[in-house]
């Protein structure tokens, strides 16, 4: 993993998720696709030059817990609304790839008050 990012865990809604975090500035939340987010990609490192980049592993993926309440994309959307509140993210840019793009839209239609912009990369769903 790049030295630009710190790895840790965060407890949200009774679920422990792994989180890579790096950079400074406006928050940028990257929502990965079905393949997970096992490694920091070069584009993520480049984004840290202007943003505080947050790369969580969705509940049920990688090192994150798979909570009993997780049944569908809607549950993930509500989880990420709690995630954004827990970190007090405001005016955030949300980038979603594949299933992460679908998830980003599901989050935004529920509550876009913490989101400044969405960018979807080959969204699924």
């Amino acid at each position: 993993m790049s030295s630009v990012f710190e790895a840790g865990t965060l407890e949200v809604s009774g679920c422990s998720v792994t989180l890579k975090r790096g950079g400074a500035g406006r928050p940028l939340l990257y929502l990965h696709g079905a393949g997970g987010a096992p490694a920091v990609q070069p584009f993520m490192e480049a984004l840290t030059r202007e943003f505080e980049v947050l790369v969580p592993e969705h509940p049920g993926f990688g090192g994150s817990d798979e909570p009993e309440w997780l049944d569908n994309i809607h549950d993930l959307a509500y989880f990420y609304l709690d995630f954004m509140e827990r970190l007090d993210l405001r005016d955030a840019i949300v980038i979603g790839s594949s299933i992460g793009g679908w998830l980003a839209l599901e989050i935004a239609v529920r509550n876009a008050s913490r989101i400044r912009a969405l960018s979807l990369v080959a969204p699924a769903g």
Side-chain angles (χ1 to χ4, degrees):
M1 183 171 58
S2 167
S3 60
V4 175
F5 281 83
E6 294 181 5
T9 58
L10 182 68
E11 185 83 19
V12 178
S13 301
C15 178
S16 179
V17 292
T18 60
L19 174 63
K20 295 175 185 84
R21 198 173 192 171
R26 180 185 313 277
L28 186 152
L29 176 61
Y30 177 79
L31 302 172
H32 66 76
V40 169
Q41 301 296 318
F43 77 90
M44 295 174 189
E45 290 182 4
L47 289 168
T48 64
R49 294 183 202 128
E50 294 185 40
F51 304 99
E52 177 188 17
V53 180
L54 300 109
V55 186
E57 284 190 293
H58 307 318
F61 284 79
S64 295
D65 289 347
E66 186 171 350
E68 301 245 344
W69 50 258
L70 179 60
D71 289 326
N72 52 47
I73 195 82
H74 310 288
D75 294 338
L76 275 179
Y78 286 114
F79 169 82
Y80 275 107
L81 289 171
D82 291 345
F83 177 95
M84 293 175 78
E85 183 178 341
R86 167 84 165 71
L87 291 175
D88 196 25
L89 300 184
R90 297 179 186 280
D91 212 24
I93 295 169
V94 179
I95 297 176
S97 174
S98 182
I99 195 171
W102 178 15
L103 178 55
L105 288 172
E106 292 287 342
I107 294 165
V109 297
R110 284 164 176 74
N111 184 346
S113 65
R114 294 179 179 272
I115 299 171
R116 177 183 183 95
L118 289 175
S119 182
L120 311 178
V121 181

